[in-house]
Amino acid sequence: MAAEPVWSVDPRTGEPRERVAVEATAEEVDRAVRAAHGTLGALADRTVRAALLRTAADLLDESRDHVVATADAETALGPTRLTGELTRTTAQLRAFADVVEEGSFLDVRIDLPDPGAVPPRPDLRRWKVPLGVVAVYAASNFPLAFSVPGGDTASALAAGCPVVVKGHPDHPATSELCASLLRRAAVKAGLPEDVVVLVHGFDAGVALVRHPLVAAAGFTGSVRGGRALFDAAAARPVPIPFHGELGSLNPVVITPAAAGERAAAIGAGLAGSMTLGAGQFCTKPGFVLAPRGEAGDRFLDALAAGLGDTGPSVMLDHRMRDAFVAGVAERAALPGVDTPVTPGAGGPHTVSAGVLAVDAERLVAGGHHLLLEECFGPVTVVARYTTREEAGAVLALLPGNLTATLHTTETAEDPDAAPLLAALIPLAGRVLVNGWPTGVAVAAAQHHGGPYPATTSTSTSVGATAIERWLRPVTYQSTPDHLLPPELRDGNPLGLPRR
């Protein structure tokens, strides 16, 4: 059987642009994983790893115009958004180079022997070592920052793990271009180019997570696809960690006092956040609890006005567009659901942003579960509540999320703020106050993850601690100094942070 071609498609027209690759067979996936596995020893040197990450960032920056143009042709995300995403991507690569050089990610811990302890304590020296080959599944909505050169790849390489990336079918040409730049960076840094390998195809993705030499996986995508791969990873003869980001509603709660103080500003801010990138951010605020009454009405009017100023937008592909149109129509048809601004088709290739409104009591009563599920695209659900207790009852129905946001007063004490914030903490990995969740800073304290189905683990995919996903601890007991790795030897010859 002939290999299936991989086409780059223009989402603005639905027409193929160019044939860029072919889908990998099971044999080709096997060769890719084995080639990556063969580079493990070369990645052991932390100095070389840091050089690889910085060289990759430099090459991406040097090819900025080409990368942005290619990504825009395949995703319709626009040069401004993609230029910013590329800057974030290269900054992330350089940040992980700093992490590698600083060395605290190794978590070196040394307990000197104490024969007088009960029980007696031997010499114990603990650090973390790379797991092995990491499978990375590229995201549709971030062709750079969460795809071939993105955070999973950067953090895995920083940990000393080679990477096999399953490219996303929405941007195969961008994937090929970025993979070629990363492989060039490896050679320039003195490493084998197969520290990064790219494969295409649905079947290739399944074969990848099942390969016995793949030691862990990182995924960003849908609940359905991510859960299937998560189950496959767990069903292996030797299960592996599967760090998946699957879906998130990202609830927002507006207190009555906040609506009374700045309803218009909150409405305008929500309109901008939920339509950013055509509503295709994983942190899009997709569900809002707003108070009933005059202040809540003013918030909803401001939100509607902001959405009215938003023109039709192109989604990442026509399959997503059709799913969005069908999804909002199904939700709008539920009893008691109003459409202050009707979301749906904006044209044969576009969508229009909108908002669905419902009384919170209908959600508490049940039967409207669809409104509590993510709808990918530029729509949000506004549930109107009367009391703090009613808002809490709705929050208790929500699944896990990446983010949760509270809007409270800025100028006075708000009696509802503390209890509602406490109700949001169990729901998300990042909790915001008086802000919007679209935008995830790359920082040491960042956490991009949350309870299932937001993610399948407690780890983060953004920030310095994302490297921890690809490491495992090993303790050396009563080991002579000359047999220890330099990181654990007496005198700390490498000058590492150690406990």
Side-chain angles (χ1 to χ4, degrees), residues 131-150:
L131 287 173
V133 177
V134 170
V136 171
Y137 294 81
S140 62
N141 55 342
F142 282 87
L144 304 173
F146 284 83
S147 292
V148 173

Side-chain angles (χ1 to χ4, degrees), residues 8-26:
S8 173
V9 176
D10 183 350
R12 296 177 173 95
T13 65
E15 296 298 321
R17 296 178 56 249
E18 59 177 329
R19 175 174 165 166
V20 298
V22 295
E23 294 187 355
T25 64

Side-chain angles (χ1 to χ4, degrees), residues 124-137:
L124 300 170
R125 303 183 182 223
R126 181 185 191 270
W127 73 325
K128 291 183 178 178
V129 299
L131 287 173
V133 177
V134 170
V136 171
Y137 294 81

Side-chain angles (χ1 to χ4, degrees), residues 284-297:
K284 179 203 76 175
F287 183 83
V288 182
L289 277 162
R292 289 194 185 93
E294 185 269 336
D297 292 344

Side-chain angles (χ1 to χ4, degrees), residues 66-101:
H66 189 190
V67 172
V68 168
T70 303
D72 181 49
E74 292 188 304
T75 66
L77 290 173
T80 300
R81 148 72 195 274
L82 290 165
T83 297
E85 186 180 334
L86 181 56
T87 298
R88 170 204 176 91
T89 303
T90 57
Q92 191 165 241
L93 287 161
R94 295 185 177 102
F96 275 113
D98 294 340
V99 168
V100 171
E101 289 178 335

Side-chain angles (χ1 to χ4, degrees), residues 396-448:
L397 301 173
L398 299 186
N401 295 271
L402 295 170
T403 74
T405 300
L406 175 70
H407 276 275
T408 179
T409 56
E410 295 180 338
T411 60
E413 190 72 22
D414 186 343
D416 295 312
L420 286 173
L421 184 63
L424 292 175
I425 299 290
L427 295 178
R430 178 164 58 105
V431 179
L432 301 87
V433 176
N434 293 348
W436 298 107
T438 37
V440 186
V442 179
Q446 185 59 270
H447 188 84
H448 189 64

Side-chain angles (χ1 to χ4, degrees), residues 335-423:
V337 174
D338 297 322
T339 53
V341 179
T342 303
H349 307 295
T350 61
V351 296
S352 294
V355 59
L356 308 174
V358 67
D359 286 338
E361 60 189 15
R362 285 189 176 268
L363 301 177
V364 176
H368 283 55
H369 62 88
L370 264 181
L371 299 179
L372 305 180
E373 296 177 7
E374 180 185 19
C375 187
F376 195 68
V379 66
T380 197
V381 173
V382 174
R384 306 292 298 272
Y385 71 93
T386 301
T387 65
R388 180 201 305 164
E389 291 70 25
E390 188 176 44
V394 174
L395 292 176
L397 301 173
L398 299 186
N401 295 271
L402 295 170
T403 74
T405 300
L406 175 70
H407 276 275
T408 179
T409 56
E410 295 180 338
T411 60
E413 190 72 22
D414 186 343
D416 295 312
L420 286 173
L421 184 63

